[in-house]
């Protein structure tokens, strides 16, 4: 149920002094006073910061006259929007039907074990965020996962962990 | 002599399989050797199980190469492109000789997918060469009336391909009958149904066909503005749509006075979805376009009367629009000569799961499920026993093996308790637990319920709790009856299609696989050895040779033991993935 997420995340939206809120000006300029602009503004905000900081909500409300309640309602309704910072790389493990039948659970569990985080969490070094998503539409390569924009198919637990570790290694060097 | 044409399948799935590297390799060699041939990035041929795919068309014929990596690409380049000697070992389809994969294409009739894998989706010229934009030009040049266009679509028998199955022509007629100076045409590309990817394939492989369908709809009902609502999980589809839109605008196929017709104003823009399954429902989709939470509202008024921004609106699915141009160009008969009495034309199915040849197939309506799975799909992976096929995603149901001779059309499928849906077909074998499948779908709908209707919001949650306890061996006497009772209440008490169909996966699995539910509840056993709380993996001491293969492959390092000594599985760490069971060559891992 979508309502549950609000409770979980409402407290985690923190004020962060490192956010350069002015980066939003061109976004606001582009969408101001256009009907149906709420979702595109939030999408552009997330593209800018990787998530939607609390400050951004207030800034947008001030500049556009959109209501905070409306924005918050929308941001917590759609799966795409994040209210807390994410890791540098986002691991999206597909849990669509085809992937489920081909044992996608193992992929998530193996990565959880390897990175010592739960589904939906970010590693302490802010390198990875692990997410489960509904379907990537690459069903014939099931089970699949997507890290950043790259899709990996025909995975096994071991293989997925190796891919993650490889990225980890690259980051360290 | 005509130039050789080399096509590389570069849809999302092809790229995931490694098509970019293959393309880059061929591109590099082409430059290095300074050879003159045409190298094209194309969409998906539907033969996903052999990706990455490279097709070479030369003076003698066409050769489709499958499972190509960089090394094989070099070989094909050297032998075929440079020296005109096809490498037959890698050919999966050719018009010159038979291949073992040929049955995959037999029985397919490509209308929607006609251009996918044939043209460069980023080239409007390629599309126009394949009779693209001829249908709308025919309408304008021959002064065909709006009524005639709508009648042709009605006569064709085209029904909504997104799952609803409502007559497309009738829908257009309703929107046409409502007078307004502003009308909207919406293309529903929010393909949220997990296991279906035909819309992605069409958008990535042939975006102009969808645009042309929308333009024809705009002409027919008097539409002034178009919106394509595409899910954000399909970044490539959005990129290619935007390329197609700007090309069409450049040619004045979109904008003001399009195709040179005075007063015909129509433009389209893409609206990115934000990840909510319920937005596939038309009223929720419109709420989302308006920038609100995607919650459905009561109908009537129907969108044809009061839709987006309270204006008359016509919403069709991607596949529906992709059918339109060909119907107008070739006549209603070209479409309704295929299919059954009430379900006309062809339908694209996404064949996935435990099937040998997974991919996209386009077949005439009325073909049997058996034919799709065994003749086209090549049967079940590892030759295991076929158990059931899931049709229609989270709103659909499971059809058991013994009913798989039914014919695929809207009405026959509905009679089983499943639905046609958007055409996702997930094949399951003997190792798939049906109770777990029901739990999986309920988990999905429970999360995706928008929360508006009490029965859907709370009912799905309660059903999920019951299913979880059954799969964990905590099921109680009477749980099946309780599930059924809840299911019917949710169906009756929900406003939109999501709630009304959410219990279908549970109801069909109870109907056809009641014994599996009973085994979980009464005997605390999972007959398919799938539910993790009910199984254990142990090492058979007499058979273990200490080869360390299991320990090496275990993703969580739960297996310990020295080389040449009996190994041991730590049950506390074991996540029951079954890798050791599958990797052991000595049958030394026991599943119980």
């Amino acid at each position: 149920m979508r309502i549950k997420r609000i409770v979980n995340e409402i407290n985690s939206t923190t004020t962060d002094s490192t956010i350069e809120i002015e980066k939003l000006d061109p976004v606001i300029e582009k969408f101001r006073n256009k009907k149906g602009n709420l979702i595109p503004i939030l999408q552009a905000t997330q593209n800018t910061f990787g998530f939607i900081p609390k400050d951004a909500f207030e800034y947008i409300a001030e500049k556009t006259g959109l209501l905070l309640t409306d924005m918050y309602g929308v941001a917590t309704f759609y799966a795409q929007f994040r209210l807390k910072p994410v890791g540098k790389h986002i691991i999206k493990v597909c849990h669509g039907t085809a992937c489920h039948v081909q044992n996608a659970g193992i992929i998530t569990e193996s990565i959880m074990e390897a990175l010592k985080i739960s589904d939906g969490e970010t590693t302490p070094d802010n390198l990875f965020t692990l997410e489960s998503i509904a379907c990537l539409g690459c069903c014939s390569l099931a089970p699949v996962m997507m890290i950043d924009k790259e899709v990996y198919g025909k995975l096994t637990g071991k293989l997925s962990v190796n891919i993650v570790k490889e990225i980890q290694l690259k980051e360290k060097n | 002599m005509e130039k050789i044409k080399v096509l590389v399948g570069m849809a999302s799935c092809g790229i995931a399989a490694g098509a970019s590297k293959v393309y880059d390799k061929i591109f590099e060699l082409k430059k290095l050797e300074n050879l003159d041939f045409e190298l094209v990035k194309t969409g998906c041929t539907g033969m996903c199980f052999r990706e990455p795919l490279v097709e070479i068309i030369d003076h003698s014929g066409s050769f489709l190469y499958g499972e190509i990596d960089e090394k094989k690409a070099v070989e094909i380049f050297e032998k075929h492109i440079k020296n005109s000697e096809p490498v037959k070992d890698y050919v999966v389809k050719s018009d010159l000789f038979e291949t073992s994969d040929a049955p995959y294409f037999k029985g397919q009739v490509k209308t929607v997918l006609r251009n996918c894998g044939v043209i460069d989706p980023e080239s409007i010229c390629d599309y126009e060469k394949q009779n693209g934009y001829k249908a709308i030009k025919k309408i304008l040049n021959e002064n065909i009336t709006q009524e005639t266009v709508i009648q042709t679509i009605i006569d064709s028998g085209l029904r909504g391909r997104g799952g609803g199955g409502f007559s497309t022509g009738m829908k257009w007629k309703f929107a046409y009958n409502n007078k307004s100076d502003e009308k909207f045409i919406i293309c529903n590309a929010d393909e949220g149904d997990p296991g279906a990817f035909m819309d992605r394939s069409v958008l990535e492989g042939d975006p102009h066909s969808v645009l042309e369908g929308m333009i024809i709809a705009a002409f027919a009902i008097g539409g002034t503005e178009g919106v394509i609502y595409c899910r954000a999980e399909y970044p490539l589809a959005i990129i290619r749509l935007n390329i197609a839109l700007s090309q069409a605008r450049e040619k004045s196929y979109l904008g003001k006075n399009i195709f040179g017709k005075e007063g015909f104003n129509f433009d389209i823009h893409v609206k990115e979805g934000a990840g909510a399954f319920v937005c596939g429902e038309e009223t929720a989709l419109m709420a989302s376009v308006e920038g609100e939470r995607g919650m459905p509202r009561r109908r009537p008024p129907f969108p044809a009367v009061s839709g987006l921004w309270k204006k008359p609106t016509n919403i069709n699915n991607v596949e529906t629009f992709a059918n339109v141009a060909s119907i107008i160009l070739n006549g209603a008969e070209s479409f309704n000569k295929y299919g059954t009495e009430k379900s006309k034309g062809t339908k694209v199915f996404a064949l996935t799961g435990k099937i040998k040849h997974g991919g996209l197939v386009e077949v005439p309506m009325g073909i049997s499920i058996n034919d799709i799975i065994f003749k086209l799909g090549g049967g079940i992976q590892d030759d295991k026993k076929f158990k059931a096929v899931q049709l229609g995603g989270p709103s659909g149901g499971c059809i058991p093996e013994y009913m798989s001779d039914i014919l695929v059309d809207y009405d026959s499928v509905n009679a089983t308790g499943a639905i046609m849906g958007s055409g996702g077909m997930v094949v399951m074998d003997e190792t798939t637990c049906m109770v777990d499948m029901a739990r999986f779908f309920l988990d999905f709908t429970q999360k995706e319920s928008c929360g508006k209707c009490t029965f859907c919001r709370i009912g799905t949650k309660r059903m999920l709790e019951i299913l979880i306890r059954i799969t964990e061996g905590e099921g109680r006497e009477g749980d099946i009856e309780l599930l059924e009772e809840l299911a019917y209440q949710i169906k009756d008490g929900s406003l939109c299609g999501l709630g009304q169909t959410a219990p279908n996966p549970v109801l069909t699995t109870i109907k056809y696989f009641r014994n599996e539910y009973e085994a979980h509840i009464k005997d605390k056993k999972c007959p398919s050895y799938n539910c993790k709380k009910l199984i254990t993996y142990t090492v058979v001491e007499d058979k273990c040779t200490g080869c360390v293969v299991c320990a090496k492959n275990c993703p969580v390092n739960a297996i310990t033991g020295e080389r040449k000594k009996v190994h041991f599985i730590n049950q506390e760490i074991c996540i029951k993935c079954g890798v050791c069971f599958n990797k052991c060559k000595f049958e030394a891992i026991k599943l119980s």
Side-chain angles (χ1 to χ4, degrees):
Chain A
M1 185 176 29
R2 295 177 171 277
I3 285 165
K4 202 174 137 198
R5 265 209 307 268
I6 304 173
V7 184
N8 285 345
E9 295 181 1
I10 201 159
N11 297 323
S12 57
T13 313
T14 46
T15 308
D16 191 340
S17 55
T18 59
I19 299 288
E20 293 168 49
I21 206 76
E22 298 74 32
K23 279 190 185 165
L24 284 180
D25 289 341
V27 173
I28 292 170
E29 212 40 58
K30 188 175 167 198
F31 292 108
R32 200 204 314 256
N33 298 331
K34 283 192 185 155
K35 57 179 185 179
N37 59 3
L38 210 171
I39 293 175
I41 285 187
L42 293 181
Q43 282 171 332
T45 308
Q46 180 154 302
N47 284 343
T48 311
F49 301 117
F51 71 111
I52 307 175
K54 190 178 169 192
D55 291 354
F57 281 110
E58 285 164 358
Y59 192 72
I60 296 166
E62 195 185 302
K63 295 269 174 176
T64 61
L66 286 167
L67 294 176
L68 267 180
T69 45
D70 287 347
M71 278 194 272
Y72 219 80
V74 165
T76 48
F77 183 84
Y78 294 99
Q80 187 191 21
F81 297 120
R82 299 190 197 89
L83 302 181
K84 31 182 180 180
V86 282
K88 190 173 172 194
H89 303 284
I90 301 172
I91 307 169
K92 294 176 178 170
V93 181
C94 179
H95 283 263
T97 321
C99 287
H100 177 77
V101 171
Q102 302 281 27
N103 224 345
I106 297 305
I107 311 297
T108 298
E109 281 173 41
S110 305
I111 296 176
M112 272 164 57
E113 175 70 27
L115 294 177
K116 306 276 182 242
I117 50 170
S118 297
D119 195 8
E121 289 182 355
T122 303
T123 49
D125 59 0
N126 281 325
L127 209 49
F128 295 104
T129 298
L130 179 64
E131 287 182 349
S132 293
I133 63 154
C135 187
L136 284 171
C138 294
C139 309
S140 43
L141 301 172
V144 298
M145 67 174 178
M146 185 157 140
I147 301 182
D148 306 326
K149 295 257 159 176
E150 189 109 3
V151 180
Y152 302 87
K154 296 188 177 163
L155 295 172
T156 62
K158 198 91 188 171
L159 206 60
S160 60
V161 170
N162 286 347
I163 293 167
V164 171
K165 288 210 164 138
E166 228 167 80
I167 298 175
Q168 221 168 14
L169 209 69
K170 260 188 217 157
E171 288 288 342
K172 270 183 192 155
N173 293 331
Chain B
M1 199 168 74
E2 222 176 288
K3 255 196 253 182
I4 295 181
K5 203 170 174 180
V6 179
L7 305 131
V8 184
M10 302 271 273
S12 292
C13 43
I15 294 172
S20 298
K21 283 181 193 151
V22 172
Y23 179 88
D24 291 346
K25 191 85 216 171
I26 300 176
F27 186 81
E28 183 196 316
L29 291 171
K30 179 177 188 252
K31 220 172 161 187
L32 203 72
E33 308 245 348
N34 203 9
L35 281 187
D36 186 27
F37 63 89
E38 211 181 325
L39 180 60
V40 184
K41 289 181 186 179
T42 178
C44 174
T45 52
M47 204 179 191
C48 305
F49 60 102
R50 290 278 184 251
E51 280 190 316
L53 294 156
V54 176
E55 186 169 16
I56 297 181
I57 302 167
D58 61 16
H59 57 279
S60 62
S62 83
F63 305 83
L64 183 64
Y65 291 101
E67 294 173 2
I68 298 304
D69 53 19
E70 285 174 85
K71 211 176 134 204
K72 285 182 185 169
V74 175
E75 193 181 337
I76 292 170
F77 184 87
E78 287 295 329
K79 291 190 180 154
H80 194 161
I81 300 176
K82 262 174 89 176
N83 296 314
S84 304
E85 291 165 20
V87 192
K88 280 195 178 179
D89 288 355
Y90 307 149
V91 174
V92 291
K93 188 195 168 204
S94 171
D95 49 9
L96 297 182
F97 51 91
E98 280 286 301
T99 60
S100 58
D101 284 332
Y104 188 73
F105 293 94
K106 279 186 188 150
Q108 287 205 55
V109 179
K110 301 218 175 192
T111 310
V112 171
L113 301 178
R114 62 191 181 274
N115 292 330
C116 288
V118 179
I119 63 166
D120 176 358
E122 296 179 10
S123 156
I124 193 168
C125 299
D126 263 28
Y127 177 67
E128 291 196 290
K129 269 185 217 155
Q130 307 286 335
N131 290 329
Y133 291 110
K134 282 220 178 114
I136 180 68
K137 285 178 185 163
K138 174 181 160 183
I139 292 173
L140 298 172
N141 292 340
E142 297 175 14
N143 286 323
I144 299 174
T145 62
Q146 290 169 290
E147 291 85 353
T148 316
V149 171
I150 294 172
Q151 196 55 47
T152 310
I153 300 296
I154 293 176
D155 292 343
S156 74
L158 176 62
R159 292 168 69 171
R161 294 296 193 240
F166 191 79
S167 160
T168 305
M170 290 308 287
K171 222 176 183 176
W172 288 18
K173 199 169 180 177
F174 295 142
Y176 166 75
N177 285 338
N178 286 294
K179 298 292 165 230
S180 168
D181 52 347
E182 238 184 316
K183 286 184 189 176
F184 291 97
I185 305 285
I186 298 180
C187 171
N188 185 347
D190 190 46
E191 190 174 46
D193 176 357
F197 53 96
M198 58 285 290
D199 292 351
R200 175 181 65 72
S201 238
V202 173
L203 294 173
E204 288 178 357
D206 192 16
H208 283 288
S209 70
V210 180
L211 303 191
E212 188 175 5
M214 289 178 75
I215 296 169
I216 294 169
F219 170 84
I221 71 162
T224 48
E225 203 182 321
V227 178
I228 302 175
Y229 188 88
C230 185
R231 65 194 290 245
E233 285 88 342
Y234 291 169
L236 186 63
I238 294 172
I239 292 170
R240 292 202 173 144
L241 271 173
N242 279 319
I243 294 173
L245 285 173
S246 59
Q247 288 170 340
R249 273 185 212 117
E250 225 163 79
K251 289 214 163 197
S252 260
Y253 293 172
L254 286 172
K256 292 222 153 44
N257 305 322
I258 57 176
F259 296 95
K261 177 153 170 95
E262 197 67 30
F264 188 11
N265 304 329
F266 182 67
D267 205 345
I268 303 174
H269 62 270
V270 178
K271 198 96 185 175
E272 230 177 278
F277 176 67
V278 71
C279 289
E281 201 276 344
E282 54 184 19
T283 59
L285 188 153
M286 291 186 301
S288 182
V289 174
E290 292 175 7
E292 291 172 24
R293 291 165 73 98
M295 287 165 123
R297 60 160 178 76
R298 260 173 71 104
R299 292 176 301 182
F302 285 93
V305 180
S306 170
L308 187 61
W309 309 113
K310 305 229 168 356
K311 301 284 179 190
T313 302
N314 176 65
I315 303 185
N316 291 125
N317 159 273
V318 171
E319 197 186 330
T320 315
F321 277 127
N323 268 306
V324 168
S326 136
I327 294 172
I328 297 296
L329 199 61
N330 306 315
E333 308 73 40
S334 70
F335 185 81
N336 65 23
K337 68 179 179 197
Y338 297 110
T340 60
E341 196 197 330
K342 285 185 180 161
S343 305
K344 300 293 185 195
T346 57
K347 172 86 191 87
V348 185
F349 291 97
L351 207 48
T352 59
K354 307 269 176 120
I355 184 124
K356 271 188 191 155
H357 300 166
L360 283 184
V361 293
E362 184 170 357
V363 289
M365 290 275 195
I367 186 173
S368 79
I369 289 182
N370 262 333
D371 280 354
I372 296 181
I373 293 174
F374 289 96
K375 285 197 182 148
L376 277 75
I380 311 297
Q381 271 175 9
D382 305 324
D383 291 314
K384 288 200 171 121
K385 197 170 170 296
F386 170 41
K387 187 185 214 168
V389 57
Q390 212 280 345
L391 257 173
S395 306
C398 294
I399 299 174
E401 182 265 335
Y402 64 85
M403 284 176 76
S404 61
D405 53 353
I406 67 152
L407 305 181
V408 183
D409 64 33
Y410 288 99
D411 309 285
S412 317
V413 174
N414 285 349
T416 65
I419 61 162
M420 181 82 90
S422 52
M425 238 183 211
V426 184
V427 178
M428 296 157 198
D429 67 9
E430 55 195 327
T431 63
T432 315
C433 171
M434 302 314 283
V435 187
D436 180 62
M437 273 327 286
R439 183 201 58 77
F440 167 78
F441 282 117
L442 247 288
D443 183 53
F444 181 84
T445 37
Q446 183 265 134
K447 278 184 192 145
E448 293 295 338
S449 168
C450 78
K452 184 167 184 164
C453 307
T454 319
F455 282 90
C456 176
R457 182 179 69 238
I458 302 172
T460 52
K461 180 91 181 158
R462 293 288 94 84
M463 282 181 82
L464 177 65
E465 283 167 1
I466 298 170
L467 287 164
I468 288 176
R469 78 170 176 241
I470 295 176
T471 54
E472 292 184 346
E474 310 278 329
R476 301 170 201 159
E477 200 71 32
D479 270 353
I480 299 178
E481 291 71 22
L482 195 56
L483 280 174
E484 285 177 322
E485 193 188 330
L486 274 166
Y488 288 113
Q489 284 173 352
I490 295 170
K491 271 175 167 292
D492 291 341
S494 300
L495 187 63
C496 82
L498 189 144
Q500 285 162 10
T501 59
N504 283 352
V506 181
L507 287 174
T508 51
T509 46
I510 290 180
K511 188 170 165 190
Y512 301 118
F513 299 95
R514 200 183 182 98
N515 56 340
E516 288 197 23
Y517 279 85
E518 283 166 351
H520 281 78
I521 295 171
K522 288 184 187 141
D523 312 329
K524 313 289 177 208
K525 275 188 184 140
C526 176
S528 321
Y529 296 108
N530 190 295
C531 295
K532 288 189 180 140
K533 286 261 166 112
L534 304 177
I535 55 167
T536 46
Y537 289 95
T538 43
V539 177
V540 185
E541 294 190 4
D542 332 339
K543 287 190 179 169
C544 180
T545 61
C547 70
V548 304
V549 164
C550 57
K552 260 192 182 163
N553 281 288
C554 178
V556 293
N557 300 322
I559 306 178
T560 48
E562 283 172 40
R563 188 168 283 280
K564 295 196 177 163
K565 283 192 181 148
V566 174
H567 280 50
F568 170 74
I569 302 176
N570 186 336
Q571 298 298 337
E572 307 237 305
I573 305 176
C574 175
I575 55 170
K576 292 163 186 177
C577 64
V579 166
C580 52
F581 181 79
N582 291 325
K583 289 275 175 186
C584 184
K585 286 178 192 146
F586 309 101
E587 294 176 3
I589 307 278
K590 198 172 92 184
L591 172 59
S592 54

